[in-house]
Amino acid sequence: MFFIEILKSIILGIVQGITEWLPISSTGHMILVDEFIQLNASDSFKEMFFVVIQFASILAVILIYFQKLNPFSSIKTEAEKKDTWQIWLKVLVGVIPAGVIGLLFEDAINAYFYNWQTVSIALIVYGILFIIIEKRNKNRAPKIQSFADLDYKTALLIGFFQVLALIPGTSRSGATIVGAILIGTARPVAAEYSFFLSIPVMIGASALKLLGFGFSFTSTELVILLAGMIVSFLVSVVAIKFLMSYIRRNDFTAFGWYRVILGAIVIGYFAWMG
């Protein structure tokens, strides 16, 4: 049974690492996968597990973009260090809406929206929106081509799009990236800003979950958690590099169709089972 639980953790880590960065909703996928692959653990541990393996995904962003995000780098000029601090200030502005609303309504969101019905509807609705928005912006040149062009007002507006991702099935990266594109941000800048927004959000969420659960893990729980984190981190590195390469040549239409098809399959499956 111990090895089966580790295998489950590895599968969940793979799903998390892929879906955290692609605009297809990591939380939505984790809720759906949990319907079929359930850890043999307490509800409090599982709730903490799902958040902390997301934190492992965030470590992948920090690794990949460490030089870009490090304002103390000895190889940067003073102007480059100043630009890096500007990026962090814009990130802090962007996380305010989701941080405030998330703290105020976390319990209600967990109670009423963490189910397959919400996930499937959100997958379909936002999938359709992805397709419509990409078609609308097909021949439009983005106004914001770099972080220097991203002002604080725009950063805050993108932050409000991140609020939509509090509903499972929406996709945090998807909501922020598509929202940024809608405002007029180039895809690479939108994607990177979305990645950076996740850093303070997930560090805060993980710290709260760990403090709430405590650090009194059993040996089995600790191994399961570490396995999920390591796999989530490694898969995230690959997923981030894939997405950045993909969006330089393609739009998000394919992801929109994926969401619509998956949402329809989920509804069909549970309707058949029920």
Side-chain angles (χ1 to χ4, degrees):
M1 292 297 293
F2 176 68
F3 292 105
I4 292 175
E5 295 306 308
I6 293 177
L7 180 59
K8 291 178 183 176
S9 176
I10 290 171
I11 293 171
L12 291 169
I14 292 171
V15 173
Q16 165 60 32
I18 294 172
T19 59
E20 178 65 34
W21 308 112
L22 304 187
I24 53 179
S25 177
S26 62
T27 304
H29 277 74
M30 296 298 277
I31 291 173
L32 296 175
V33 171
D34 189 51
E35 292 281 341
F36 305 97
I37 303 175
Q38 295 192 355
L39 290 172
N40 186 22
S42 65
D43 290 340
S44 59
F45 174 81
K46 288 196 291 185
E47 185 178 344
M48 180 274 298
F49 173 87
F50 288 137
V51 173
V52 175
I53 65 170
Q54 284 182 302
F55 170 69
S57 295
I58 303 309
L59 293 178
V61 172
I62 296 173
L63 173 69
I64 293 172
Y65 291 99
F66 182 78
Q67 187 59 37
K68 186 166 187 172
L69 293 173
N70 181 13
F72 305 106
S73 173
S74 59
I75 65 172
K76 286 185 176 180
T77 65
E78 289 302 315
E80 289 172 333
K81 290 178 180 179
K82 183 179 179 181
D83 289 341
T84 304
W85 282 116
Q86 290 290 323
I87 291 174
W88 278 112
L89 288 173
K90 291 167 185 177
V91 167
L92 292 176
V93 168
V95 300
I96 290 172
V100 172
I101 295 175
L103 285 173
L104 291 175
F105 297 101
E106 180 185 15
D107 291 339
I109 291 169
N110 289 341
Y112 296 109
F113 295 111
Y114 272 66
N115 52 63
W116 69 265
Q117 294 94 336
T118 301
V119 170
S120 58
I121 292 170
L123 283 169
I124 292 172
V125 170
Y126 286 100
I128 293 171
L129 286 175
F130 281 14
I131 296 167
I132 292 172
I133 290 170
E134 286 291 13
K135 185 175 181 180
R136 173 183 177 272
N137 286 298
K138 192 170 186 179
N139 297 315
R140 294 190 177 191
K143 297 177 294 182
I144 301 169
Q145 298 281 356
S146 68
F147 276 96
D149 299 328
L150 182 69
D151 60 28
Y152 289 99
K153 179 181 177 181
T154 304
L156 185 62
L157 284 174
I158 296 171
F160 278 106
F161 279 100
Q162 187 173 223
V163 173
L164 299 172
L166 293 173
I167 303 300
T170 301
S171 171
R172 187 198 54 76
S173 63
T176 52
I177 292 172
V178 173
I181 292 171
L182 192 61
I183 293 170
T185 307
R187 285 188 186 86
V189 178
E192 288 188 353
Y193 185 59
S194 172
F195 298 160
F196 302 162
L197 282 178
S198 67
I199 295 174
V201 171
M202 290 314 306
I203 288 176
S206 297
L208 288 173
K209 289 297 181 184
L210 280 171
L211 290 172
F213 181 81
F215 293 88
S216 55
F217 300 106
T218 66
S219 58
T220 300
E221 288 175 337
L222 183 59
V223 172
I224 290 171
L225 181 61
L226 288 175
M229 289 181 68
I230 291 169
V231 172
S232 176
F233 170 80
L234 294 174
V235 174
S236 288
V237 171
V238 176
I240 291 168
K241 290 184 177 181
F242 164 77
L243 182 63
M244 292 307 297
S245 174
Y246 178 88
I247 62 176
R248 287 187 174 92
R249 302 185 302 273
N250 305 277
D251 61 23
F252 288 104
T253 301
F255 293 115
W257 283 113
Y258 170 85
R259 293 173 62 98
V260 171
I261 293 169
L262 179 62
I265 290 172
V266 170
I267 292 173
Y269 171 81
F270 283 101
W272 178 67
M273 291 294 292

